[in-house]
Amino acid sequence: MLGWRNTSSKYRNIQRAKPGSRRSVKVEANMAVPRILAQEDDSHIDQLVVTGKGHEAADALEAVKHRVDENTTVCLMNDGLGVLEDVRRKIFEGAETGPSFLLGHMSHRLAFNRTYDSVKQLKNGETRFTLAELSPHKGKQARQEPHKTETRSNFIQTLQEATDLHSSLTTYDQWLRFKLPSVIFDSVVEPVCVLLEMPYQGLLQNPAAQRMMHSLLSEIVQVVENMPEVEGSSVLQSYVHGRGIKRLLHSRIMAKRAQPSQLVRRIEHGLPTDVEYLNGYFLRRGHKLGLDLRTNIMMRDMIKAKHSQAIERLNSYIPVEETSIPSDLAFRYRTVPR
C-alpha cells in the first residue's frame, strides 16, 4: 500500500488573452486525476513505502497509523536526514509496539509530469536500503528482533522483483555514504543561493559564496566524522576527507548552471523548506557532540526568516478574478466624469 498526495489543483492550465483583447482568461481542467493522501480504509498494511519531503513523512503515517502494527514494515524514502527520529517521536512515542523500519534512498533521476500525474525516468540509478533498529542516538548495541528482521528481508525481496529499481540492502554507513551527496548539496549550495539571491552558476564566480560553502561543508563533515553510529567506518572517513565532495558540488552546480535555486523557488511560494531535515539535522547532532556550527546556525535562521517573510507577503495579496463584460452592459461600469 502506498500513500499518495496530489498537490496539483483541479484547474491549473491557464491561457491568457492577447493584450487589447476583450476575451476573459481561459482556464482548462487539469488532466491529472485528483488523489488523496490515504483512502478511507481499515485494512491492515503489511508493507508501506513513504516518500516525499522530510516533513511529509509524519503526516503520511498519521493518516494510516491505525492500520499498522508490529507486523508492518515501513520504508522511509524521504528527503533529508532525521526523518525516522521525527516519525517515532510524533507518531509512535509511548506506543508499546510499532512497525519495523527501513531507510531507503534512490539515485534515479526522475521528472514529474503534473498535467498527467506521471513520472518519467531521465537517468538510471540505484536504490539502497538499510535496517533501522533504533535511532542513531542509541548507538550500535541494539538487539535485532528475529521477527522484524524477517519481515524486512521479505520487503527487500519484494522490492527487488522490480528490476528497474536496482535495489540492494547495505549497512548503515554504506547507505549514509550513498545518501550524503544529495543531503550535502541541499545543505551547502541551496542556502547560499538563497542568501545571495543568485542562480547556481553564480556561486562559482563569487569568492564570498565559495567561502560560505566551504564553511558550511567543513562543519557538516565535522559532524559526520564524529557520529557514534558510523565511528570507524572507512567508507565514510575516506569520503568526507577526500576530494569527492567538492568535485560533486562543482559538477552538480555546473549541471544546473543558470537554473533558479529550488530552495529559492520554494521560499518564494511559501512552501516548506525542510531545513530542519538538512542543516537542522546536523545542528542537532552537532549540539549533542559539543561542536561549534555557527555557520549552519546562521543559514538555518536565515532560511526560516526569509520563509516567514515570504508567507507574510503572500498572505497580504488580494486575489482578483479577471472576467469579461458583455458589450451591451459595458455602459453600466463606465466611469462618468463629474
Side-chain angles (χ1 to χ4, degrees), residues 101-298:
F101 287 95
L102 287 167
L103 298 176
H105 183 72
M106 63 167 51
S107 61
H108 303 268
R109 186 180 174 189
L110 309 174
F112 177 58
N113 187 317
R114 189 177 297 278
T115 302
Y116 295 98
D117 196 21
S118 62
V119 175
K120 180 180 180 181
Q121 179 175 290
L122 303 179
K123 185 178 180 181
N124 202 6
E126 297 181 60
T127 306
R128 297 187 186 180
F129 305 95
T130 189
L131 303 180
E133 295 299 331
L134 294 172
S135 66
H137 308 287
K138 297 184 180 179
K140 299 180 179 180
Q141 304 303 320
R143 183 174 57 185
Q144 297 188 13
E145 300 178 32
H147 170 68
K148 290 191 174 184
T149 301
E150 181 181 0
T151 58
R152 284 177 292 197
S153 298
N154 293 337
F155 195 6
I156 296 296
Q157 293 174 5
T158 301
L159 292 171
Q160 287 177 336
E161 293 177 3
T163 55
D164 289 343
L165 290 178
H166 302 288
S167 305
S168 63
L169 181 66
T170 69
T171 59
Y172 180 75
D173 62 331
Q174 292 175 330
W175 176 85
L176 184 60
R177 162 64 180 86
F178 182 64
K179 188 178 177 70
L180 267 180
S182 63
V183 174
I184 288 178
F185 184 89
D186 291 340
S187 302
V188 171
V189 176
E190 296 286 2
V192 178
C193 286
V194 174
L195 179 65
L196 301 180
E197 298 180 350
M198 62 172 54
Y200 296 109
Q201 67 179 7
L203 302 178
L204 301 178
Q205 304 164 2
N206 189 309
Q210 294 177 34
R211 288 194 296 270
M212 287 184 220
M213 289 192 295
H214 176 74
S215 182
L216 286 168
L217 179 60
S218 297
E219 292 179 0
I220 290 173
V221 167
Q222 191 179 8
V223 174
V224 173
E225 64 183 358
N226 284 283
M227 285 164 45
E229 65 270 26
V230 294
E231 183 180 1
S233 170
S234 58
V235 174
L236 277 175
Q237 291 295 332
S238 61
Y239 178 65
V240 297
H241 290 294
R243 302 182 60 183
I245 296 180
K246 293 183 178 179
R247 285 199 297 264
L248 168 85
L249 295 179
H250 183 273
S251 63
R252 290 198 176 184
I253 290 172
M254 290 300 295
K256 294 177 180 290
R257 295 185 182 177
Q259 296 179 24
S261 162
Q262 292 297 315
L263 183 56
V264 169
R265 295 179 65 180
R266 293 191 68 83
I267 290 177
E268 289 176 348
H269 290 84
L271 300 174
T273 63
D274 256 11
V275 67
E276 289 299 336
Y277 303 92
L278 297 166
N279 303 81
Y281 171 80
F282 295 110
L283 287 174
R284 291 191 297 275
R285 299 305 305 273
H287 177 72
K288 291 183 178 294
L289 295 169
L291 301 176
D292 181 9
L293 307 177
R294 63 186 65 187
T295 308
N296 276 272
I297 292 175
M298 180 193 70

Side-chain angles (χ1 to χ4, degrees), residues 9-32:
S9 65
K10 184 178 180 181
Y11 299 102
R12 181 68 66 176
N13 300 327
I14 301 177
Q15 297 181 355
R16 298 191 178 277
K18 296 180 180 179
S21 172
R22 296 179 61 87
R23 292 174 57 194
S24 61
V25 176
K26 181 180 179 182
V27 182
E28 296 181 346
N30 194 327
M31 299 182 68

